[in-house]
């Protein structure tokens, strides 16, 4: 801050330079000399290191290492942030920078607190940037990472638990984060250990399976517990291999290849037929019975 003194006087005395009477006027005392504000601005004022204009008697002045600035001119050379009441660093080229910009340019300041990382101190280096060990913290829980594993999301750092909680996909079955592996079924993510047969609990990852009423089954359990039985051959009607097409009639189901005339074995799928004593017949054979 300026050390000059300003005041008004009731006793007559004159400006050191212009000899103007300073009685009742504002003046500046510099080096034991009384100077009117006009002469001060013209002859005594320091020059601002930024705008190169005089720093008048009515202006707020800041100084650092024999250099002077208007208060409004004392700002970061990179981002132009005002630094009158902020931490700053003076570079060898004379530029003034805020802590954040200085750390980006110099690379030797902590990215967390913007203070210098002293050689030999505990620190963390990541992507050509450096932090004090205690400043390298999780963006979510704010705890130091230290020796834990971490993941980056944009410019933010997360410990593994917070990253999984915030960004990992949730298993469709147990609703817990999927941290590694997993499978996808009907556009839904699953833990491999959660994707199991609804009946026998056998893991289905990499195995043949089918679904029924939002549940998944291995082939064996689907055939045994879920699939309808063919009224002709009494075997399960599944969608696996031969036997995809089904004929349904009055609560009974047949494989298409089993829906044949009992007498002549003619296939009756999509044809007229006659039911007699739980057997099916073509119209011709039915007439002969």
């Amino acid at each position: 801050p300026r050390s000059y003194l300003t005041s008004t006087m009731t006793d007559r005395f004159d400006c050191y330079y212009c000899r103007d009477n300073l009685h009742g006027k504002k003046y500046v005392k510099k080096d034991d000399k009384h100077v009117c504000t006009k002469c001060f601005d013209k002859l005594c004022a320091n020059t601002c290191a930024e705008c190169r204009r005089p720093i008048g008697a009515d202006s707020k002045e800041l100084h650092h290492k024999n250099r002077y600035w208007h208060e409004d001119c004392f700002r970061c050379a990179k981002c132009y942030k005002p630094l009158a009441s902020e931490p700053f660093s003076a570079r060898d080229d004379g530029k003034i920078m805020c802590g954040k910009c200085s750390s980006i340019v110099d690379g030797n300041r902590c990215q967390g607190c913007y203070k210098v990382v002293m050689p030999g101190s505990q620190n963390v280096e990541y992507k050509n940037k450096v932090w004090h060990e205690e400043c390298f913290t999780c963006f979510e829980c704010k705890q130091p990472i230290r020796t834990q594993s971490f993941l980056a999301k944009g410019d933010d750092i997360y410990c593994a638990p917070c990253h999984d909680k915030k960004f990992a996909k949730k298993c469709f079955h147990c609703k817990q984060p999927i941290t590694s592996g997993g499978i996808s079924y009907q556009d839904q993510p699953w833990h491999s250990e959660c994707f199991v047969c609804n009946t026998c609990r056998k893991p289905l990852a990499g195995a043949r399976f089918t679904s029924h009423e939002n549940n998944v089954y291995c082939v064996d359990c689907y055939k045994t517990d879920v699939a309808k039985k063919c009224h002709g051959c009494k075997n399960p009607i599944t969608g696996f291999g031969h036997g995809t097409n089904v004929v349904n009639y009055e609560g009974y189901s047949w494989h298409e290849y089993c829906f044949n005339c009992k007498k002549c074995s003619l296939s009756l799928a999509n044809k007229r037929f006659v039911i007699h004593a739980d057997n099916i017949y073509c119209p011709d054979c039915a007439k002969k019975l």
Side-chain angles (χ1 to χ4, degrees), residues 15 20 28-29 44 54 86 96 98 104-105 108-109 132 165-166 178 183 197 201 204 210 219 236 244 250 263 272 283:
C15 170
D20 228 6
V28 179
K29 185 177 181 180
C44 304
E86 299 289 336
I96 301 296
C98 64
I104 294 173
V105 173
N108 61 344
R109 288 182 177 269
H132 294 111
K165 183 178 180 180
K166 191 175 182 68
I178 300 175
I183 62 174
C197 173
R201 315 309 294 174
L204 297 178
T210 189
V219 173
T244 301
E250 292 188 352
K263 186 171 180 64
R272 291 168 60 88

Side-chain angles (χ1 to χ4, degrees), residues 161-177:
C162 287
H163 183 275
D164 292 344
K165 183 178 180 180
K166 191 175 182 68
F167 300 108
K169 292 182 177 180
K170 303 294 192 300
C171 175
F172 182 72
H173 175 70
C174 70
K175 312 304 179 186
Q176 295 303 310

Side-chain angles (χ1 to χ4, degrees), residues 104-125:
I104 294 173
V105 173
D106 295 337
N108 61 344
R109 288 182 177 269
C110 175
Q111 295 292 303
C113 67
Y114 308 123
K115 296 179 180 179
V116 175
V117 177
M118 300 301 294
S121 63
Q122 294 291 330
N123 62 76
V124 178
E125 293 187 17

